[in-house]
Amino acid sequence: MKSFAVIGVGRFGRAVATTLYTLGCEVLVIDKNEQIIQSIADEVTHAVTVETLDEATLKALGIRNYDAVIVAIGDELEASMLVSLMLKELGVKYIISKAQGELHAKLLTKIGIDKVILPERDIGERVANTLVNTNIIDFIELSPEYSIAEISPPSQWVVKTLVNLDLRTKHRINVISIINGKEVNVNPRPEYTIKNGDRLAVIGCTNDINSLNKTKI
């Protein structure tokens, strides 16, 4: 079971924490507001009220043992920077920090945070990608180079098997799941035949995914 810690329980932090818990992950949430912690306690694994977050407290909570820590206190720049820096110095495996603006994002990047999130910018980019690339239903950037996208297969793909399409060789993308209605086929077999109504979750270089909109098979 993967484990995550979320520091700061605003709208963003709550959404991340409760979704991870729903997906079967162990989730620790930390916030200075006791009422907020009480309101989310039944929706996560552990919920802790901490008025002053320092290195000793983070160590006592076993923060280094979590697979990733999400710093969701983007509205308080100084607190966000301080907590992110402490996590970095404590050797946390993977740190995701929410930024409140471009300057905040640059500062977080400078101190070596693994992933910096600007929610409005990131959502805007996802919407733009789905508008420009008509086959793309949804789009998630994993890094500057790689993304996951949910796509509608071009008509030329329908009634062809994955092995015949050979998407890995021809387009440098991998199909990680296929969704049709309520059915989800994770890691589909090579002989799977694409059907009308299928939605493919693919992973690959962002440029390769974007190029699918211009490609015919």
Side-chain angles (χ1 to χ4, degrees):
M1 179 189 295
K2 288 197 171 185
S3 59
F4 300 91
V6 179
I7 301 174
V9 189
R11 285 180 297 178
F12 174 76
R14 179 182 286 271
V16 171
T18 55
T19 302
L20 288 170
Y21 183 70
T22 301
L23 292 171
C25 302
E26 178 186 352
V27 181
L28 163 71
V29 296
I30 303 167
D31 198 277
K32 62 184 179 182
N33 188 313
E34 188 172 353
Q35 287 184 328
I36 289 175
I37 287 298
Q38 288 176 353
S39 72
I40 199 174
D42 293 335
E43 301 177 67
V44 295
T45 315
H46 310 287
V48 180
T49 304
V50 178
E51 288 188 14
T52 304
L53 204 56
D54 53 25
E55 286 194 18
T57 304
L58 290 169
K59 284 181 181 178
L61 291 169
I63 206 75
R64 283 180 291 194
N65 300 325
Y66 287 86
D67 292 308
V69 178
I70 299 94
V71 181
I73 47 178
D75 293 340
E76 301 175 37
L77 191 149
E78 185 177 349
S80 169
M81 291 297 300
L82 181 60
V83 171
S84 298
L85 186 58
M86 284 193 292
L87 294 172
K88 193 72 182 173
E89 291 179 343
L90 286 170
V92 170
K93 299 171 191 174
Y94 193 79
I95 305 168
I96 302 168
S97 294
K98 176 191 171 189
Q100 67 179 32
E102 293 291 345
L103 176 59
H104 189 187
K106 286 180 182 178
L107 292 172
L108 289 166
T109 302
K110 285 282 188 184
I111 64 173
I113 299 308
D114 299 290
K115 184 170 180 62
V116 177
I117 295 174
L118 275 164
E120 290 186 357
R121 180 198 65 186
D122 295 345
I123 291 171
E125 289 176 354
R126 287 173 66 179
V127 170
N129 273 290
T130 60
L131 290 172
V132 172
N133 300 295
T134 54
N135 287 329
I136 294 179
I137 300 166
D138 201 0
F139 186 91
I140 301 172
E141 184 182 88
L142 300 175
S143 74
E145 294 84 22
Y146 294 95
S147 299
I148 294 175
E150 184 181 324
I151 66 171
S152 296
S155 59
Q156 297 90 345
W157 294 13
V158 177
V159 197
K160 291 186 179 180
T161 64
L162 291 176
V163 69
N164 287 335
L165 289 171
D166 196 13
L167 299 176
R168 182 180 297 180
T169 301
K170 293 179 180 177
H171 300 287
R172 297 181 294 279
I173 62 170
N174 290 311
V175 178
I176 55 178
S177 69
I178 297 175
I179 305 153
N180 194 310
K182 294 183 179 180
E183 295 183 7
V184 180
N185 185 346
V186 179
N187 196 21
R189 298 176 65 83
E191 58 269 24
Y192 180 90
T193 301
I194 302 295
K195 303 187 293 291
N196 282 315
D198 279 351
R199 306 195 314 273
L200 280 59
V202 301
I203 186 169
C205 290
T206 303
N207 288 339
D208 292 330
I209 292 173
N210 287 336
S211 70
L212 290 174
N213 198 52
K214 307 170 186 176
T215 303
K216 292 186 178 181
I217 292 183

